[in-house]
Amino acid sequence: MEAIKRILSYPLSILFYLFFGGILVIFHPVQWMAKNFGGPSVHRGVVNLMNLCLLRCLHVLGVTFSFKNEYKLPEHQPLIMVSNHQSMLDIPLISWYLRRNKPKFISKIELGKGIPSISYNLKHGGNVLIDRKNPKQSIPALSEFGKFITKHNFSAVIFPEGTRSRNGELKPFAPTGLKILIKNAPKALIVPVAINNSWKLLRYGNFPMGTGVHLTLEVQEPLTIDKEPEILLKKIEERITLAVKT
């Protein structure tokens, strides 16, 4: 059965990438028009629609989704969403299912150019691009980002593992970026987020894609910033670790 799924994954992956790439190309000029003629809120709506379309492309691969959130997240308070990271599809997953909280992403600076739609949104959608090899750029950028989400009641999304997990196992957290956000957004609510199974989409590499995967996104109990940073970081990591299944 596994061999058959692997064989089928080749033509299905080609179809998926055609749809995925087509959506990025189509939404690039649509984003530009929305941003320049409609303003930030219209642009945000277009980005939400784009992320929904990107997720729907995964149905070609037989992918299904589950979203679980037992907590009412405030829409008029800044949030810091702390998530594990398993694949590139984590971003549209968070963007769509938590869209009411206006998630903004911390991304490496290399993604800010050359990718239709994605690069445009990263540069013009209120996200922050950092050079992880250059603290003189990244630390001030993260500090300003924390103040930005506080001012506008947006949500900062951070993947503290740094790089995505190739097998679903949670990597040790790099605490620096999260500490900077907490310091500069002291009124924010911390929201741990656990993503499961998106690594299976890339179990063979970028091609072919995995098929028949069930992706889950689960919001864990939020935490207030009222503890020492080290204690708070430990609690965040514990909650995500318990919810990640390998």
Side-chain angles (χ1 to χ4, degrees), residues 85-86 132 159-166 171:
H85 193 23
Q86 296 186 349
R132 291 183 292 187
F159 299 112
E161 293 167 281
T163 58
R164 62 181 187 240
S165 171
R166 306 289 180 175
K171 293 184 174 184

Side-chain angles (χ1 to χ4, degrees), residues 88-107:
M88 61 182 178
L89 279 310
D90 297 342
I91 294 171
L93 198 65
I94 293 172
S95 296
W96 174 249
Y97 282 109
L98 294 169
R99 63 192 179 279
R100 293 184 182 276
N101 299 100
K102 303 171 186 175
K104 306 298 178 182
F105 291 83
I106 298 168
S107 178

